[in-house]
Amino acid sequence: MTSNIADRKLARAQKQVVILEQMIEDKTRELFLSQEDLRSANEHFESVIRSMQDMLIVLKPDGMIQSVNEQTTSLLGYDRDDALIGQSINILLNEDTCFKELARQGGNTDTPFSQQETVFKNNTGDTFPVLLSGAPLRDRNGTSCGLVLLALDIRERKVLEQQLLQAQKMESIGQLAAGIAHEINTPIQFIGDNSRFLQEAFSELQPVLDNAATLVTTTNNGRVTANTLQAVTDAVEAADLSYLVEEIPKAVEQVLEGVERVATIVHAMKEFSHPGVEGKTLVNINSIIESTVTVSRNEWKYVATLETDFASALPPVSCFSSAISQVVLNLIVNAAHAIAEVIESQNDQMGMIRIGTCANNGWIEIRISDTGSGIPETIRNKIFDPFFTTKQVGKGTGQGLALAHSVIVEKHEGIIDVESEPGQGTTFIIRLPIQQTQHSASLTKKS
Amino acid sequence: MKGVVFNLFEQFVVENWGEEIYEQILDETTLETTEPFVGPGTYPDGDFLALVVKATEKLNVTVPDAVRAFGKFCFPKLADVFPNFVNMHTHPKAFLKTIDSVIHVEVRKLFKDAQTPSFRYEDPSPEQLVLIYESPRKFYEFVEGLLDGVSDYFKTPIQHSRTICTENGQEFARFELTFGELEPTHS
Ligand code: HEM
């Protein structure tokens, strides 16, 4: 039995070896196949990343570049990616968008940031605008082990944005032109009327002047007669001199007033349609609003009275003045339309548009309110969306408030808000920072 | 059930009752598996139970006693094969707390198709531990045997009591453990 057991155990052991060998072979094959899978998955990812049009940059927790895709290397003007790998991300950023700031925004906090406007520096030190998004890179256990940055080159978009703004401006000017012509026509007309009166008055004065001249000459050479004196008296009577003396200065004053009115409109028109210098300039918000109110007068004067309440000592604000005046125009025109709707539907009398400015706590505030129909609660959160409009087809493109939002929020780091009471009216509140904070200045705009 | 367990069972029978008895058990049991068991293989649970039942018949012991003894036998052997899991602990409590989150996790990586049970823990006081064991196999005596093995291995008495509970139709066992003093190594 003992040898029998030994034989059985040996036979079992031999079989076990065969089975185990088979298992090892299977495992080896499995390993090979999964390595192949891994390699092709890796290749797939690499080719996806390579073909991405955005710049992808992976940072280590200390801000050193761990990897970049080809687009990053080529857009930044480097010829090999290892020129960037191992360098600090700060070589791409300018001083105030340093890595510390990025880390604050995404790396060290749990909140990723998205689509922040900033600039990248290429290998020759030139900068260009990018939209930067970032999210902490996490390992399997969820601990942050770096930062993934995705940057979109927005040079072309910036140019298009500028062109779009300009196109909107031109469109507004086109639409305002008829109204402005009308506005100019009124003073021109009474300048004309008064000038014609002055012309007539002068021709009526002519005989008085002629007779007076004759009187002077005859008096001088001692040949003055009663006839000569009578002729002067007759001429004065015929001309109704007392009437002319009273009316002529009034007419002159009206002509001058008219000329001034035309000059104001022309000046406002010039200020409003100014294509805008590149970049921001220090401007007086009150004067921008004043010009916009002037050029748009014909749009509101039939439906509303417009009251302004400007803070007198408003500090100048650094802004794109052309864009701000466009926003104010859009809001005035909207206000006029809202009031017109009420007048049409309820046969109501003239409404009221109020525009006020004030400065507080580092902000400049512009409030534009109307006595129109108000904005229903249900659509209040949609009004700043592009293409959202409640106006009839052909009346509004739905770009007005979207533009206002992008100009105020994106270009100026400001705030645009709306308060509305259906049936009572609407107030748009714009706040522009007088001085930009360190953080917003670094990560949001550099145009 | 993994082949390792079958092989440990073979060792258990051979070391206690001799090779001949094991060969007899093998001959007299009807098994689904026709080949010899190898450690990494996976075999029907029924084959394992059939072997255990046949053994208890032959040796005239009860199934629970046999399974408990097998558990106690297994622990030092497992600890031998995987010293890293055991070495880093001096007290059984800390060690036992790693079964679910470390040991059986590694086991599932090493052995394809391994079906390890689930353990949850309650820690009412420093010298106590509650082990909540849940498995479709319901190897309660096996757990008890392993605990005795652990106690011997760490030279620390472990008193344990078992309560079977059901929740939402799921059966599980609560093992309430009380650890004694560390036994001195030299007497
Ligand atoms: C070095 C330590 C350990 C190792 C390497 C280990 C390994 C294993 C392996 C390989 C299995 C078989 C799984 C299968 O066949 O699918 C298993 C099952 C099992 N283990 Fe462990 N184990 C260890 C410690 C423990 C301890 C300390 C306990 C409990 C106190 C435990 C409780 C169990 C139970 C009850 C089963 C049976 C399966 C079930 O109930 O569903 N193990 N273990």
Side-chain angles (χ1 to χ4, degrees):
Chain A
M1 181 73 187
T2 329
S3 73
N4 191 8
I5 291 174
D7 287 349
R8 286 168 57 132
K9 289 191 94 167
L10 183 63
R12 272 216 305 276
Q14 279 168 342
K15 249 194 182 154
Q16 279 173 327
V17 169
V18 175
I19 295 170
L20 286 169
E21 273 176 355
Q22 184 63 46
M23 280 181 168
I24 291 172
E25 272 172 28
D26 287 351
K27 278 276 168 235
T28 314
R29 192 174 308 112
E30 241 173 61
L31 199 65
F32 173 77
L33 290 177
S34 57
Q35 261 168 354
E36 281 292 288
D37 285 351
L38 206 62
R39 205 171 52 81
S40 76
N42 215 16
E43 272 173 8
H44 173 72
F45 277 126
E46 273 177 6
S47 82
V48 168
I49 289 171
R50 240 199 324 276
S51 55
M52 268 171 64
Q53 286 307 293
D54 293 354
M55 292 172 269
L56 184 78
I57 304 167
V58 180
L59 301 184
K60 293 186 196 159
D62 59 359
M64 294 295 155
I65 298 175
Q66 188 170 30
S67 62
V68 294
N69 65 347
E70 271 173 29
Q71 189 70 350
T72 311
T73 328
S74 81
L75 278 177
L76 291 169
Y78 294 89
D79 45 3
R80 294 179 349 262
D81 57 4
D82 47 3
L84 283 165
I85 289 169
Q87 301 266 17
S88 161
I89 182 70
N90 288 341
I91 68 161
L92 305 185
L93 305 169
N94 59 3
E95 298 80 48
D96 44 21
T97 321
C98 59
F99 171 69
K100 253 210 215 136
E101 192 58 32
L102 284 179
R104 205 178 67 70
Q105 296 257 324
N108 294 343
T109 69
D110 276 344
T111 38
F113 61 90
S114 77
Q115 312 242 327
Q116 303 272 24
E117 254 189 75
T118 183
V119 291
F120 268 6
K121 240 183 332 199
N122 70 11
N123 68 336
T124 57
D126 294 336
T127 58
F128 60 95
V130 294
L131 265 194
L132 188 64
S133 303
L137 187 65
R138 300 199 180 282
D139 64 14
R140 238 202 244 209
N141 305 322
T143 32
S144 160
C145 58
L147 189 62
V148 185
L149 298 177
L150 197 64
L152 183 66
D153 175 0
I154 51 168
R155 269 175 282 202
E156 220 168 287
R157 187 157 127 186
K158 282 268 138 187
V159 173
L160 287 176
E161 258 177 26
Q162 200 55 40
Q163 286 172 353
L164 180 70
L165 197 66
Q166 198 49 32
Q168 293 222 1
K169 199 93 215 209
M170 289 338 274
E171 191 190 331
S172 304
I173 292 169
Q175 279 164 0
L176 293 174
I180 292 170
H182 186 81
E183 286 301 308
I184 292 178
N185 203 33
T186 316
I188 291 279
Q189 236 161 31
F190 67 74
I191 291 172
D193 292 347
N194 282 300
S195 302
R196 260 186 300 283
F197 167 75
L198 287 171
Q199 194 180 34
E200 272 168 32
F202 185 72
S203 69
E204 278 166 30
L205 275 177
Q206 192 75 55
V208 179
L209 292 175
D210 289 348
N211 284 307
T214 315
L215 180 63
V216 172
T217 348
T218 50
T219 312
N220 280 348
N221 56 28
R223 286 204 230 132
V224 65
T225 62
N227 275 354
T228 337
L229 261 176
Q230 188 56 47
V232 173
T233 316
D234 291 350
V236 167
E237 232 162 71
D240 194 355
L241 197 58
S242 61
Y243 168 75
L244 289 181
V245 165
E246 201 176 312
E247 290 303 318
I248 286 174
K250 280 194 201 159
V252 170
E253 201 174 306
Q254 283 192 6
V255 167
L256 289 176
E257 245 173 51
V259 167
E260 197 163 318
R261 178 94 205 109
V262 172
T264 310
I265 296 172
V266 169
H267 175 80
M269 175 86 179
K270 255 166 98 181
E271 188 167 284
F272 180 81
S273 61
H274 197 284
V277 276
E278 239 180 69
K280 295 183 173 178
T281 45
L282 278 179
V283 295
N284 180 339
I285 290 289
N286 288 346
S287 109
I288 290 187
I289 299 176
E290 191 89 66
S291 313
T292 311
V293 167
T294 305
V295 293
S296 63
R297 208 179 124 76
N298 205 58
E299 311 300 310
W300 50 263
K301 70 172 185 194
Y302 299 107
V303 293
T305 32
L306 193 150
E307 247 179 41
T308 54
D309 176 15
F310 292 153
S312 51
L314 216 53
V317 189
S318 158
C319 64
F320 298 99
S321 61
S322 163
I324 297 286
S325 61
Q326 181 70 42
V327 170
V328 173
L329 174 74
N330 290 353
L331 294 178
I332 293 178
V333 169
N334 275 358
H337 284 174
I339 293 172
E341 257 174 47
V342 175
I343 295 181
E344 260 166 47
S345 65
Q346 293 165 20
N347 232 339
D348 225 340
Q349 342 136 321
M350 295 277 273
M352 169 73 89
I353 299 174
R354 282 196 186 81
I355 306 181
T357 57
C358 65
N360 56 29
N361 286 337
W363 297 85
I364 279 198
E365 188 178 284
I366 309 170
R367 299 178 78 90
I368 301 181
S369 42
D370 63 61
T371 54
S373 42
I375 303 168
E377 177 96 55
T378 44
I379 60 165
R380 223 169 285 164
N381 60 349
K382 283 189 251 171
I383 56 172
F384 294 115
D385 294 351
F387 300 107
F388 181 81
T389 179
T390 56
K391 295 180 183 164
Q392 292 160 8
V393 178
K395 266 215 130 175
T397 55
Q399 296 302 313
L401 289 179
L403 176 106
H405 189 270
S406 104
V407 165
I408 302 301
V409 178
E410 279 155 35
K411 282 192 178 310
H412 296 89
E413 297 112 51
I415 296 168
I416 180 163
D417 225 335
V418 63
E419 286 169 3
S420 185
E421 184 76 20
Q424 301 293 309
T426 303
T427 303
F428 280 92
I429 302 135
I430 293 171
R431 288 193 192 91
L432 296 172
I434 296 172
Q435 242 166 16
Q436 283 136 25
T437 60
Q438 193 49 39
H439 129 243
S440 61
S442 56
L443 263 191
T444 25
K445 60 96 267 305
K446 282 274 134 42
S447 326
Chain B
M1 188 68 78
K2 296 309 292 184
V4 228
V5 183
F6 287 84
N7 290 343
L8 281 170
F9 185 71
E10 176 179 345
Q11 273 185 53
F12 171 62
V13 174
V14 169
E15 277 181 30
N16 285 294
W17 297 280
E19 287 179 331
E20 214 174 308
I21 295 287
Y22 182 73
E23 296 304 318
Q24 284 171 15
I25 294 171
L26 208 56
D27 277 347
E28 292 167 24
T29 319
T30 333
L31 295 175
E32 234 178 89
T33 311
T34 50
E35 314 159 328
F37 302 111
V38 292
T42 305
Y43 307 97
D45 282 6
D47 280 0
F48 178 68
L49 291 177
L51 286 169
V52 173
V53 169
K54 180 58 71 188
T56 55
E57 281 169 16
K58 278 195 96 65
L59 299 166
N60 213 6
V61 287
T62 63
V63 175
D65 284 347
V67 171
R68 211 173 284 122
F70 177 53
K72 188 169 177 183
F73 170 85
C74 278
F75 186 74
K77 306 274 178 202
L78 287 172
D80 256 10
V81 185
F82 301 98
N84 291 345
F85 294 150
V86 197
N87 284 350
M88 48 180 154
H89 303 285
T90 49
H91 194 274
K93 180 169 168 175
F95 164 73
L96 286 170
K97 282 175 132 183
T98 62
I99 310 171
D100 204 64
S101 57
V102 181
I103 301 178
H104 281 168
V105 173
E106 292 302 317
V107 165
R108 287 194 299 272
K109 285 186 207 164
L110 285 174
F111 296 102
K112 199 171 159 252
D113 308 324
Q115 285 177 314
T116 56
S118 116
F119 282 103
R120 281 174 290 136
Y121 303 92
E122 282 169 22
D123 198 341
S125 78
E127 61 281 352
Q128 287 178 298
L129 180 70
V130 180
L131 215 64
I132 299 162
Y133 161 82
E134 193 174 329
S135 161
R137 289 172 176 146
K138 301 181 183 143
F139 281 175
Y140 304 134
E141 289 81 9
F142 187 56
V143 174
E144 285 168 350
L146 280 166
L147 287 173
D148 293 340
V150 171
S151 168
D152 285 356
Y153 191 90
F154 285 95
K155 299 194 169 61
T156 308
I158 305 177
Q159 272 179 27
H160 48 83
S161 66
R162 176 211 324 168
T163 328
I164 310 286
C165 318
T166 339
E167 211 177 79
N168 303 329
Q170 283 287 50
E171 188 181 302
F172 59 89
R174 273 177 74 89
F175 292 93
E176 289 179 14
L177 276 52
T178 309
F179 300 96
E181 286 292 303
L182 210 67
E183 273 173 26
T185 3
H186 303 288
S187 44

